[in-house]
Amino acid sequence: MLNVPPQAFPAPSSQQRVAVGGRAKVPLKPGRSLMDWIRLTKSGKDLTGLKGRLIEVTEDELAKHNKKEDCWICIRGFVYNVTPYMEYHPGGEDELMKAAGADGTDLFDQVHRWVNYESMLKECLVGRMAVKPIAAPKGMLPEKKVLGASAKDLTPSYDWFQTDSLITIVIYTKQKDMNAELVIVDCQDKRLRGEIIVDNDSYLVELDLDHAVQEDLAVNIAEKVGKVEIILKKKDNIHWKMLGEPLESHSTFIKRTDRGLFYRKCKLISKTEVTHDTKLFCLMLPKSTHLRVPTGHHVYLKQIIAGTEVVKPYTPVLPFLSLDFKEPSCHDGIHIYLMIKIYSCGLFTQALDHLHIGDYISVSNPEGSFKKSQVQTSEDLFLLAAGTGFTPMVKLLNFALTEVSCLRTVKLIFFNKTEDDILWRNQLEQLALVDERFEVQFILSQPTKDWVGKQGKISSSLLSEFVKRSRKESKVLICICGPTPFTEQGVQYLKVLGYSQEEIHTFTA
Ligand code: FAD
Ligand code: NAP
């Protein structure tokens, strides 16, 4: 919902016409882009029909507003009149109508949990539900409530101690294979937020600290015993009587997907050209943040555009492709590199392109379903990428070639329109020269007549030519990323060619 492109675009087959997860986007009428919606919300027009009043809505009242011309929807206890928004919804009116007169929280979370509806629909707010809706508001769970975890004894716990200069918070995760990617810590002013990922669940320590601390913090992880230490430096060497005041989500252990996205402001350090329309953005995390984006996972960037919060996903890459990533600047955990195509009519990417070095942008916690173990058990790895669908392949390629010894072949089949669109072509060709397991195949859909390489779009015949098991029984993993129709077609062709669902991973939001 709500990340609507300008009406002149997108092309009928582009990603922008098909929402992630295979939901078809419908063509929007002229004048119904996200920008048009933002303008309407700023026009001062009464979009709720309540002349600015907020009311308490009963379930019976909500149920009455179930028609297109009078449609109210409840999300996390707040009721919105979405009738004025109907024509602006990229998923179409019918999708919105599925929750007409009802609690749409679950439906919303399945489809676009990351969209900031509070900001987008603020002028449509009718009021709060008088009776609590079925879905619990995010982060409002009572202390130590266990959702999604199989047994209470698996709930992590914490303790703390102090020296003259340090505060150490110890989290016992009760999870054996803890690693730096499963720990996300932020300390802004006196507010500490430490999140521990345990499979599909999330444990949170969230406090308003008793006293001020210095900007930099340290995180130590005892991987084998699952102990995490967050070490804060006191600003003043005084004795703390308590750690701090618990905030509302403190000490909760809930499903990851029920945890709201958390953002921190990152500084734009550099912007480098990759191709004619794609740039490598380097962002610096605050010193008071510990965050590692796992391979194949994405983050959300948030910008205020014309007074409205707009959020889009991007997949961090490495600063360059090489089998030697020992230099500290690459793995320091402080920088996030994003390779982003700037679309001439793109709402978000145009705003990104206008950022100056030194400006700040909000970056969320990582999300994604890819697990490195999928590669660790494979003998043949095939990466099918189209355009910026190359981005999740960057870290994956590096991981596969540097850390997975059982892999016999690693093949990237990279679809682009023209030669000028190929991202990091030289680096990929260099990599193929230095590692004989790696091969790259460029396929162009709109080549010039000088192109002597492969031509075409993703098809059964192209895939049967390039995706082959190195041995009859070899274990294969095929990863696909690009415009949604590209990914969907790829999966269909691969299944026809005899590959199973378990052998295919698709990157989506
Ligand atoms: P919008 O305003 O939404 O869009 C549309 C305009 O952009 C159109 O008018 C058209 O001009 C142009 N446009 C958009 N798509 C196409 C297309 N396929 N072909 C031609 N024109 C098009 N993008 C990256 O660049 N790097 C990433 O690392 C990255 N990671 C992503 C990770 C995930 C999980 C997902 C789902 C998407 C990712 N994207 C990435 C895409 C990104 O989230 C935005 O969709 C993209 O940047 C366009 O945003 P926008 O607001 O500028 O464009
Ligand atoms: P692009 O340049 O428009 O297209 C790249 C190649 O894919 C071209 O050869 C193009 O052929 C082909 N293609 C485009 N649409 C197709 C379709 N419907 N069926 C078959 N082939 C198609 O791509 P882009 O602008 O870089 O866009 C990349 C896409 O990847 C975006 O949609 C982005 O959201 C997505 N992405 C997703 C993730 C993720 O989910 N993790 C990460 C990064 C990017 P044509 O000549 O026919 O256009």
Side-chain angles (χ1 to χ4, degrees):
M1 174 156 102
L2 298 165
N3 56 339
V4 192
Q7 47 91 13
F9 262 91
S13 61
S14 92
Q15 138 96 8
Q16 318 302 336
R17 287 266 179 240
V18 183
V20 284
R23 291 161 295 105
K25 283 195 176 184
V26 298
L28 296 165
K29 286 185 197 164
R32 294 295 179 269
S33 71
L34 174 56
M35 204 57 221
D36 294 317
W37 171 251
I38 292 173
R39 271 191 216 110
L40 177 63
T41 62
K42 304 276 177 250
S43 66
K45 207 173 159 192
D46 176 15
L47 297 183
T48 60
L50 294 169
K51 301 194 173 69
R53 268 184 312 127
L54 289 179
I55 58 169
E56 288 236 314
V57 184
T58 61
E59 279 186 46
D60 288 348
E61 183 61 32
L62 176 66
K64 283 184 208 159
H65 302 268
N66 62 353
K67 295 167 230 44
K68 271 188 190 162
E69 56 286 0
D70 176 17
C71 180
W72 291 9
I73 290 177
C74 167
I75 308 176
R76 270 182 257 290
F78 290 92
V79 178
Y80 299 90
N81 177 352
V82 295
T83 297
Y85 180 66
M86 284 278 171
E87 293 188 344
Y88 297 80
H89 184 227
E93 299 184 1
D94 293 345
E95 275 301 304
L96 270 186
M97 285 306 293
K98 283 184 186 164
D103 188 342
T105 310
D106 287 345
L107 196 65
F108 178 85
D109 281 351
Q110 277 165 28
V111 182
H112 22 39
R113 191 172 86 78
W114 45 275
V115 171
N116 190 340
Y117 64 91
E118 288 107 325
S119 176
M120 296 282 192
L121 293 179
K122 59 179 181 270
E123 297 304 325
C124 299
L125 183 66
V126 169
R128 282 188 94 117
M129 284 301 287
V131 183
K132 260 199 155 194
I134 304 133
K138 279 185 190 175
M140 293 290 283
L141 290 157
E143 179 114 335
K144 297 230 164 123
K145 173 139 187 189
V146 181
L147 271 189
S150 49
K152 189 157 180 153
D153 57 313
L154 288 180
T155 311
S157 60
Y158 80 98
D159 204 349
W160 71 286
F161 60 89
Q162 62 184 311
T163 63
D164 283 350
S165 57
L166 300 176
I167 294 287
T168 302
I169 298 152
V170 188
I171 302 174
Y172 304 97
T173 69
K174 301 182 187 169
Q175 152 113 334
K176 266 191 189 155
D177 297 315
M178 253 300 123
N179 67 60
E181 290 175 353
L182 303 173
V183 182
I184 305 162
V185 183
D186 288 274
C187 194
Q188 294 169 0
D189 301 321
K190 278 171 64 201
R191 187 180 158 168
L192 174 77
R193 185 187 185 281
E195 184 175 355
I196 306 288
I197 310 295
V198 182
D199 299 325
N200 293 323
D201 297 321
S202 143
Y203 176 74
L204 196 66
V205 169
E206 197 181 29
L207 296 145
D208 201 359
L209 295 171
D210 206 29
H211 296 276
V213 291
Q214 294 180 35
E215 217 191 329
D216 51 332
L217 55 79
V219 172
N220 291 337
I221 300 167
E223 302 198 357
K224 298 258 159 51
V225 292
K227 194 172 82 171
V228 176
E229 284 181 349
I230 302 170
I231 301 161
L232 308 170
K233 287 184 197 155
K234 290 180 181 175
K235 236 183 190 157
D236 305 304
N237 290 358
I238 48 170
H239 184 80
W240 290 25
K241 288 206 178 78
M242 59 187 286
L243 182 58
E245 282 297 331
L247 295 171
E248 61 186 359
S249 297
H250 175 64
S251 198
T252 51
F253 188 40
I254 62 174
K255 271 205 249 145
R256 271 183 90 170
T257 47
D258 288 338
R259 191 78 77 203
L261 280 176
F262 183 81
Y263 290 86
R264 74 280 300 146
K265 288 217 155 77
C266 295
K267 195 177 187 174
L268 177 63
I269 297 297
S270 64
K271 213 173 12 170
T272 326
E273 254 180 41
V274 178
T275 64
H276 62 102
D277 61 3
T278 302
K279 292 182 181 168
L280 188 68
F281 291 77
C282 174
L283 304 176
M284 189 167 73
L285 287 162
K287 273 187 187 167
S288 52
T289 293
H290 168 96
L291 180 142
R292 307 277 184 276
V293 183
T295 298
H297 288 218
H298 51 270
V299 293
Y300 295 96
L301 298 188
K302 184 166 80 178
Q303 296 184 94
I304 312 275
I305 301 177
T308 298
E309 280 185 0
V310 185
V311 173
K312 293 271 161 127
Y314 294 96
T315 313
V317 296
L318 298 167
F320 48 83
L321 267 177
S322 150
L323 297 182
D324 179 18
F325 278 103
K326 292 198 178 66
E327 287 148 81
S329 64
C330 304
H331 262 345
D332 55 8
I334 293 171
H335 294 107
I336 292 186
Y337 293 88
L338 297 166
M339 195 185 272
I340 299 180
K341 182 180 275 195
I342 312 296
Y343 294 103
S344 55
C345 331
L347 181 71
F348 200 85
T349 51
Q350 280 299 319
L352 265 182
D353 200 30
H354 283 90
L355 288 180
H356 295 110
I357 305 302
D359 284 352
Y360 284 84
I361 182 158
S362 297
V363 178
S364 79
N365 287 359
E367 290 213 331
S369 59
F370 185 78
K371 290 193 171 74
K372 279 179 177 171
S373 55
Q374 292 172 260
V375 186
Q376 277 158 333
T377 50
S378 304
E379 292 164 86
D380 302 327
L381 175 65
F382 295 96
L383 310 174
L384 311 183
T388 56
F390 171 59
T391 51
M393 310 307 180
V394 172
K395 284 191 183 182
L396 182 45
L397 204 48
N398 178 255
F399 170 70
L401 294 176
T402 55
E403 289 182 51
V404 189
S405 53
C406 59
L407 275 170
R408 294 141 64 93
T409 54
V410 179
K411 205 180 267 188
L412 170 70
I413 301 131
F414 196 0
F415 295 82
N416 283 284
K417 288 185 171 137
T418 69
E419 265 185 283
D420 291 344
D421 295 321
I422 302 175
L423 303 165
W424 281 356
R425 179 178 179 177
N426 284 344
Q427 296 193 39
L428 286 165
E429 287 173 339
Q430 285 297 317
L431 200 60
L433 288 178
V434 295
D435 193 321
E436 58 180 17
R437 292 172 302 165
F438 177 59
E439 201 182 300
V440 57
Q441 183 69 49
F442 301 116
I443 301 178
L444 301 183
S445 53
Q446 300 172 27
T448 59
K449 56 181 183 338
D450 310 327
W451 176 248
V452 290
K454 273 277 165 193
Q455 181 172 346
K457 287 210 196 198
I458 192 160
S459 66
S460 187
S461 60
L462 275 176
L463 292 186
S464 61
E465 189 179 340
F466 294 113
V467 182
K468 285 186 190 135
R469 293 179 203 272
S470 59
R471 289 184 303 134
K472 203 166 166 239
E473 299 296 323
S474 63
K475 284 187 127 194
V476 171
L477 178 67
I478 308 163
C479 298
I480 315 182
C481 190
T484 307
F486 166 92
T487 305
E488 287 174 350
Q489 286 166 35
V491 173
Q492 276 169 18
Y493 295 137
L494 289 167
K495 285 194 175 160
V496 172
L497 291 173
Y499 294 97
S500 67
Q501 186 68 56
E502 292 68 46
E503 293 175 314
I504 303 169
H505 180 88
T506 56
F507 289 98
T508 50

